[in-house]
Amino acid sequence: MFLLVALLIGVIAGLRAMTAPAAVAWGAALGWFDVSQTPLAFMAYQWTPWIFTLLAAVELITDQLPSTPSRKVPVQFGARIVMGGLAGATIGAANSLLFGGLIVGVIGAVIGTYGGAAVRGRLAASFGKDLPAALIEDAVAVIGALLIVAVS
């Protein structure tokens, strides 16, 4: 069950890189899962959720800009993999499955990156413009992250 949750939070990282660790950091900080005795204890520190939330908000805004590069370029893709791994590992660590969570978080990020790009492209084509598709993707990422963290 926990590996499935870690995979799903990785998918969220593929959609929006910073949304996944922001949600996981809030879950850890609020005590929804305990990472205090793990190498990822910093995810539950007082300032960690605020920092990731700020980064997630900036990402949600910059994603709407026409100058934002594709999520599949190396830097963007790499960030999604790292954040998916971090978020998945945090959920895994709370259940003594740190490396398992890391691996499935990375796999989820790859799925979310390519799958999200494909779905958004189709939505944008059906709307005739990208903004509605981007906003739908934002909503799916934020609501999905909150639901995933709530069940972990």
Side-chain angles (χ1 to χ4, degrees):
M1 171 67 176
F2 297 110
L3 292 178
L4 174 61
V5 173
L7 177 77
L8 293 174
I9 203 67
V11 170
I12 298 299
L15 300 177
R16 295 289 176 271
M18 294 299 168
T19 300
V24 170
W26 277 110
L30 293 171
W32 293 353
F33 46 91
D34 182 20
V35 292
S36 63
Q37 302 302 312
T38 73
L40 298 172
F42 73 92
M43 290 296 282
Y45 290 176
Q46 178 181 4
W47 293 104
T48 305
W50 293 103
I51 293 167
F52 276 121
T53 299
L54 176 63
L55 293 171
V58 169
E59 180 183 27
L60 290 173
I61 293 166
T62 60
D63 180 64
Q64 310 307 319
L65 302 175
S67 61
T68 301
S70 166
R71 71 184 81 202
K72 297 183 280 185
V73 300
V75 172
Q76 297 276 356
F77 189 60
R80 291 166 196 276
I81 288 172
V82 169
M83 291 301 119
L86 174 62
T90 303
I91 289 173
N95 300 286
S96 301
L97 298 168
L98 187 142
F99 291 110
L102 172 73
I103 291 166
V104 297
V106 166
I107 292 168
V110 172
I111 293 168
T113 299
Y114 285 110
V119 170
R120 180 169 166 177
R122 287 188 195 110
L123 280 173
S126 70
F127 286 122
K129 55 184 172 179
D130 186 60
L131 183 61
L135 295 175
I136 289 170
E137 186 179 16
D138 290 345
V140 168
V142 171
I143 293 167
L146 294 174
L147 290 173
I148 291 164
V149 169
V151 301
S152 63

